């Protein structure tokens, strides 16, 4: 009996084209089994990630809030904002400041077992999520992106990790314009998302100093005709950590630079004392 007869049948029983299709399907199935065996399978998992969004425009700062959800087309995975931390930035000359934004999120993804790795891989919509990764977030009303700086199984918020406390600090503002010096007063406060984070308790000012050089090379220190050096004492809502006191996620101590925003007036100074 010929291998393939006049009707194109293999051994007179199976059509050659059908046989080729069966072989290809078997190869695909075997390859799929090999991939699953290598990865070890997957299962749904929830993790918690801190994402640094850094400088964000006002329209994002105004909209971002707890409960915002980013979904991914073709996937049941999602990222939900559970906590928001906003830190004002000092304005650069000629440019308005944009605050830094950090969010804590609940991430519903998949844990992928991989025999070739020491640790299983965590993925969202097929993309790995790990420290240092940049992640794109489409929240519907706005879109943004940021860098993953913490990823774990703990659902604590940004403020839960350390104990809340109150700290008094003296802040030196050097060579400020008269409009700023005159605009600062006791009782002024900075409020962030409905919570007061800084309150002015005392204000003192004196003429700022300028250094002049005469034609003969002598150096003289004189009072500035307008600008002032201002010292403000502020009560700050801070957190105690293992490494010290932090204000809005930044270390607070003598010599620290600090940015405060009182009713739209943004000032930057140096901490000279901490109580």
């Amino acid at each position: 009996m010929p291998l393939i007869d006049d009707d194109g049948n293999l051994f007179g029983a199976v059509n050659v084209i059908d046989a080729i299709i069966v072989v290809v399907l078997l190869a695909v199935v075997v390859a799929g089994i090999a991939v699953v065996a290598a990865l070890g399978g997957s299962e749904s998992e929830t993790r918690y990630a801190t994402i640094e969004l850094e400088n964000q425009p006002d329209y994002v700062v105004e909209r971002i809030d707890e409960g915002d959800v980013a979904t991914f087309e073709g996937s049941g995975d999602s990222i939900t904002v559970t906590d928001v931390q906003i830190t004002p930035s000092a304005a650069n000359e000629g440019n308005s400041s944009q605050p830094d934004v950090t969010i804590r999120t609940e991430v519903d993804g998949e844990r992928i077992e991989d025999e070739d790795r020491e640790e299983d891989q965590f993925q969202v919509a097929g993309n790995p999520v790990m420290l240092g990764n940049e992640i794109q977030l489409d929240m519907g009303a706005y879109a943004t992106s940021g860098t993953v700086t913490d990823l774990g199984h703990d659902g604590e918020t940004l403020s839960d990790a350390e104990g809340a406390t109150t700290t008094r600090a003296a802040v030196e503002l050097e060579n400020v314009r008269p409009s700023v010096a005159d605009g600062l007063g006791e009782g002024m406060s900075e409020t962030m998302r409905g919570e007061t984070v800084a309150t002015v308790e005392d204000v003192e000012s004196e003429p700022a100093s300028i250094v002049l050089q005469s034609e003969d090379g002598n150096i003289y220190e004189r009072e500035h005709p307008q600008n002032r050096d201002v010292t403000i004492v502020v009560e700050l809502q801070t957190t105690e950590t293992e490494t010290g006191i932090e204000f809005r996620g930044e270390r607070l101590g003598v010599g620290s630079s600090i940015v405060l925003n009182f009713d739209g007036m943004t000032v930057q100074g140096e901490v000279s004392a901490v109580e």
Side-chain angles (χ1 to χ4, degrees):
M1 177 183 295
L3 183 64
I4 301 176
D5 61 19
D6 294 337
D7 294 327
N9 293 323
L10 185 66
F11 299 117
V14 180
N15 185 276
V16 174
I17 295 177
D18 293 338
I20 292 174
I21 292 174
V22 170
V23 170
V24 171
L25 290 174
L26 286 174
V28 171
V29 171
V30 171
I33 293 174
V35 170
V36 171
L39 292 178
S42 65
E43 62 181 61
S44 298
E45 185 170 282
T46 298
R47 295 192 184 180
Y48 298 88
T50 299
I51 303 175
E52 299 280 356
L53 305 183
E54 297 185 345
N55 299 122
Q56 292 294 314
D58 290 341
Y59 64 84
V60 171
V61 175
E62 292 172 358
R63 287 173 172 79
I64 193 167
D65 202 357
E66 298 174 15
D68 291 350
V69 179
T71 56
F72 302 88
E73 187 175 354
S75 168
D77 300 339
S78 64
I79 297 179
T80 304
V81 177
T82 60
D83 195 17
V84 181
Q85 185 178 81
I86 300 174
T87 305
S89 297
N92 297 320
E93 187 175 353
N95 298 309
S96 60
S97 62
Q98 291 185 335
D100 291 329
V101 180
T102 301
I103 59 175
R104 185 73 171 168
T105 60
E106 180 180 292
V107 185
D108 293 326
E110 288 187 314
R111 178 173 59 84
I112 309 296
E113 297 179 2
D114 191 340
E115 296 179 353
D116 296 330
R117 290 174 170 266
E118 294 183 1
E119 297 182 1
D120 297 339
Q121 189 178 83
F122 184 63
Q123 294 185 356
V124 173
N127 297 312
V129 177
M130 60 184 68
L131 297 181
N133 273 18
E134 183 174 352
I135 191 165
Q136 304 290 327
L137 300 173
D138 184 353
M139 300 294 189
Y142 63 91
T144 186
S145 64
T147 302
V148 178
T149 59
D150 182 72
L151 181 66
H153 297 84
D154 195 340
E156 65 185 10
T157 66
L158 292 169
S159 58
D160 285 340
E162 297 83 22
T165 187
T166 300
T167 303
R168 296 177 75 248
V171 181
E172 306 287 343
L173 313 175
E174 295 185 350
N175 200 34
V176 300
R177 300 187 307 274
S179 59
V180 174
D182 295 339
L184 291 168
E186 296 180 18
M188 296 181 68
S189 62
E190 176 181 339
T191 302
M192 188 175 296
R193 307 181 74 81
E195 179 184 358
T196 300
V197 297
T199 304
V200 177
E201 294 186 342
D202 188 39
V203 180
E204 294 182 359
S205 70
E206 60 182 16
S209 298
I210 55 175
V211 177
L212 303 174
Q213 183 175 4
S214 65
E215 293 182 358
D216 57 8
N218 292 322
I219 303 298
Y220 298 94
E221 184 178 10
R222 296 287 185 269
E223 291 185 357
H224 194 285
Q226 291 184 314
N227 291 354
R228 313 279 296 177
D229 287 339
V230 181
T231 301
I232 59 174
V233 176
V234 289
E235 182 180 81
L236 306 173
Q237 299 303 312
T238 54
T239 53
E240 291 185 3
T241 71
E242 294 180 355
T243 58
I245 297 174
E246 293 186 357
F247 176 62
R248 289 196 296 242
E250 298 291 335
R251 179 72 180 274
L252 182 71
V254 175
S256 300
S257 178
I258 187 172
V259 178
L260 299 167
N261 191 330
F262 300 117
D263 301 325
M265 178 190 297
T266 301
V267 296
Q268 182 175 17
E270 182 177 294
V271 177
S272 59
V274 175
E275 296 181 8

